[in-house]
Amino acid sequence: RPKTILCLPKWIGLGLHKSGSTALFHFIKINFPTYRYRKEKRFFNPSRGETFFNSSAPMRCRFPNMKCYLGDGGHAGPKGIWGDLTVPLTFYIHAPLFVEQVQPQAKFIITLRDPIDLLWSRFHFNKMKTSDVRESILMGLEWFVDCQETSTWRKQTGLGWDPACSFKSAAAEEIAMEVNNTDLSTGLRLIRDGLFADTIHMWLGRFNYSQFLFVPNSQLRKEEAVDDLTNSISSFLNVPPNDEKDPNFVTRNIANKTSLHLRELYPDVAELLETLFRPHRYWLSQLSGIPEEDVF
């Protein structure tokens, strides 16, 4: 039988939940079927005793247990090429250091999505518990801005915003629930996800810019962009694509929009979020090298 090759991943997928990572995963599986891919391995996530999704079994393969990682995920087949798409890596500040120590030549594919679209999609996908998402986001915005204004860390570093302000204190949550029964943590989580450009610089600080490929979510949702995306990934990874194409890929990856968008339901909230996310849009454009009007 063909010899099994154990090796480190050639590429690692980054991004956020609902940014298009699953669509990218299936796109690569379809167009580059000779090579193997794994999703949500979470090997480079800091170990905190998490279990795998809804399973009660602990996640045993964590850095630096390379034997477990290669044995569990590194079966790359005769070509010796595989990819690891684990979107939570984007947020973990130690993950870039771990990857740098193990695979300094790894390549990274990052999915991008409009922050308000991402926020609204994640709210529905995760079925977050809140009686009124409008109040939750508004209170989250108020807490976030107040925290920024009083942040000693922000004043000392001179950076745009303090990431710690994306997390509420137990006292603040208790006050929010007492005042108007509002779930503050939901609003803050959604706002944090919309500012994910801040997490990308941690990776760019440790790896060469040429090791990154940015994929706007729109490229996975337009028929006319499929060939360009295939060529970009083929050139980036230096692997040939499949000769046959899946004509229904885009159709399957465009969800039926049965609910109104946040912009339609709460235009006042959307306007406030646009103000908050505007620098983020510009920053993502500068980081990715994609014009701002095309970055999403």
Side-chain angles (χ1 to χ4, degrees):
R1 62 182 182 179
K3 183 180 179 180
T4 297
I5 300 175
L6 298 182
C7 60
L8 292 165
K10 183 179 181 68
W11 65 273
I12 294 174
L14 301 175
L16 290 184
H17 291 294
K18 309 308 294 176
S19 67
S21 58
T22 299
L24 173 68
F25 178 74
H26 290 297
F27 181 86
I28 293 179
K29 284 182 65 177
I30 292 169
N31 289 280
F32 302 90
T34 307
Y35 310 96
R36 299 188 180 183
Y37 310 97
R38 302 290 188 274
K39 195 170 187 294
E40 302 293 357
K41 295 305 299 179
R42 300 181 181 232
F43 174 73
F44 295 105
N45 290 18
S47 180
R48 296 176 181 173
E50 297 101 325
T51 58
F52 188 75
F53 291 105
N54 295 324
S55 171
S56 60
M59 298 175 65
R60 57 190 177 84
C61 286
R62 292 297 181 118
F63 179 85
N65 189 351
M66 295 303 300
K67 182 178 180 180
C68 180
Y69 184 49
L70 296 179
D72 191 39
H75 297 286
K79 293 291 184 181
I81 297 177
W82 70 289
D84 180 352
L85 199 156
T86 303
V87 292
L89 288 181
T90 310
F91 270 123
Y92 287 114
I93 61 175
H94 295 101
L97 173 62
F98 293 166
V99 176
E100 183 187 36
Q101 297 298 312
V102 173
Q103 182 74 329
Q105 301 304 316
K107 294 190 175 183
F108 304 90
I109 303 179
I110 302 178
T111 49
L112 305 175
R113 188 176 184 181
D114 177 88
I116 294 183
D117 289 347
L118 187 146
L119 176 154
W120 195 237
S121 179
R122 187 179 178 202
F123 173 79
H124 283 288
F125 179 79
N126 288 3
K127 299 179 181 179
M128 294 181 174
K129 296 180 180 180
T130 178
S131 57
D132 189 339
V133 64
R134 179 180 183 276
E135 294 301 320
S136 182
I137 292 176
L138 286 176
M139 178 159 283
L141 281 168
E142 182 178 357
W143 166 265
F144 185 82
V145 172
D146 288 345
C147 179
Q148 299 298 338
E149 290 179 347
T150 59
S151 169
T152 303
W153 181 89
R154 178 171 173 263
K155 294 175 182 177
Q156 290 176 343
T157 61
L159 296 178
W161 63 287
D162 184 348
C165 293
S166 299
F167 303 92
K168 47 82 182 175
S169 66
E173 182 67 76
E174 185 176 349
I175 293 173
M177 294 300 292
E178 288 180 355
V179 172
N180 55 4
N181 196 33
T182 299
D183 182 4
L184 174 61
S185 60
T186 293
L188 285 174
R189 285 200 302 274
L190 295 174
I191 292 168
R192 179 199 66 185
D193 283 0
L195 295 166
F196 65 90
D198 187 65
T199 65
I200 295 176
H201 80 272
M202 299 187 301
W203 295 89
L204 289 170
R206 290 194 174 274
F207 299 92
N208 190 283
Y209 185 80
S210 63
Q211 293 174 247
F212 293 86
L213 176 67
F214 294 87
V215 178
N217 180 269
S218 58
Q219 282 193 287
L220 295 161
R221 302 168 69 87
K222 295 179 180 179
E223 294 283 0
E224 60 271 21
V226 169
D227 287 342
D228 288 342
L229 180 57
T230 302
N231 293 333
S232 295
I233 294 176
S234 176
S235 176
F236 180 66
L237 298 179
N238 193 28
V239 294
N242 186 21
D243 293 332
E244 297 182 5
K245 308 295 181 183
D246 180 0
N248 299 315
F249 173 80
V250 172
T251 303
R252 286 200 302 270
N253 282 282
I254 297 179
N256 294 322
K257 296 184 177 180
T258 57
S259 61
L260 292 174
H261 197 280
L262 176 68
R263 292 185 176 93
E264 300 170 293
L265 289 173
Y266 308 117
D268 56 333
V269 176
E271 185 176 354
L272 289 172
L273 289 172
E274 287 285 3
T275 302
L276 177 65
F277 294 150
R278 192 170 296 125
H280 163 88
R281 293 173 182 274
Y282 172 78
W283 194 2
L284 274 182
S285 176
Q286 297 301 304
L287 290 176
S288 64
I290 302 172
E292 194 168 346
E293 62 271 18
D294 299 326
V295 73
F296 300 119

